[in-house]
Amino acid sequence: MSSQDDRHGLTQWHSTTIIGVKRGDSTVIAGDGQVSMGNTVMKPNAKKVRRIGEGGKVVAGFAGATADAFTLFERLEKKLEQHNGQLLRAAVELTKDWRMDKYLRNLEALMIVADEENLLVLTGNGDVLEPEGGIAAIGSGGNYALSAAKALVDYEDDAETIARKAMAVAADVCVFTNGNVTVETV
């Protein structure tokens, strides 16, 4: 994602690096706190992972344009209400809207969402992806975090430990990722 919005000539704020790890009965989503505008760190302690839905039973994290991600959080919460908290159904309906709606399809963000049963990656292309091996990562440092987590799963069983160590690796390698990590567990 560029820091320049070509449609309007406006500078965009971007947020990066989210990882989801599902191991056994535990699912964790972790995200760094860095928000960048171009090559400038604008905020080091943003909360890009949060609980949503009734009773906070769903955890969601975003990477991409911050305002776009907040729009998607709100839309996902509405879909969860409409579908009685069923995350998979709500995610499918959100991504349908995201892909087809004239306004929503211009949003620049990706999401990782989880509940007790599901770990999913949502995209504006209409994708609802269940990651292989129970590990997913998005954002500019996502591939670093994903690689680190995949290397750790043979040696570590705890989802939170894997997520935290993978985020530390991403923060060491990616200039758009920092070590201010927010972790939520389902």
Side-chain angles (χ1 to χ4, degrees):
M1 285 180 238
S2 74
S3 63
Q4 214 35 285
D5 181 348
D6 295 331
R7 296 176 309 268
H8 307 290
L10 302 173
T11 302
Q12 293 276 324
W13 299 68
H14 290 278
S15 306
T16 57
T17 315
I18 303 293
I19 189 165
V21 179
K22 184 174 182 63
R23 300 288 286 171
D25 293 338
S26 180
T27 302
V28 170
I29 296 180
D32 75 313
Q34 184 164 309
V35 175
S36 304
M37 187 169 70
N39 292 326
T40 303
V41 175
M42 299 303 290
K43 185 172 183 176
N45 59 349
K47 303 291 185 214
K48 297 178 278 184
V49 175
R50 60 188 57 197
R51 292 185 171 279
I52 62 173
E54 188 177 330
K57 294 179 182 176
V58 172
V59 176
F62 73 87
T66 307
D68 293 354
F70 290 135
T71 299
L72 292 168
F73 276 148
E74 290 172 8
R75 295 281 182 130
L76 181 57
E77 280 200 289
K78 287 178 184 171
K79 294 294 183 186
L80 285 165
E81 287 173 17
Q82 291 173 353
H83 299 288
N84 299 320
Q86 296 176 15
L87 177 60
L88 187 55
R89 179 73 189 270
V92 168
E93 293 302 318
L94 172 67
T95 56
K96 276 197 236 177
D97 290 351
W98 192 355
R99 180 176 179 169
M100 299 179 81
D101 183 270
K102 185 177 180 180
Y103 167 73
L104 291 178
R105 73 173 159 237
N106 291 315
L107 299 182
E108 294 184 18
L110 294 169
M111 297 178 75
I112 295 180
V113 297
D115 64 7
E116 288 183 354
E117 300 166 14
N118 302 287
L119 174 64
L120 306 168
V121 177
L122 310 181
T123 78
N125 293 329
D127 299 315
V128 177
L129 306 168
E130 186 173 7
E132 182 180 357
I135 302 170
I138 57 175
S140 62
N143 285 338
Y144 303 116
L146 179 65
S147 296
K150 286 185 175 236
L152 287 166
V153 295
D154 288 339
Y155 307 100
E156 182 62 61
D157 287 327
D158 182 64
E160 183 173 342
T161 300
I162 293 168
R164 286 186 181 277
K165 287 181 178 181
M167 288 298 295
V169 169
D172 284 346
V173 179
C174 178
V175 297
F176 295 107
T177 304
N178 71 18
N180 293 333
V181 177
T182 300
V183 176
E184 290 287 347
T185 303
V186 181

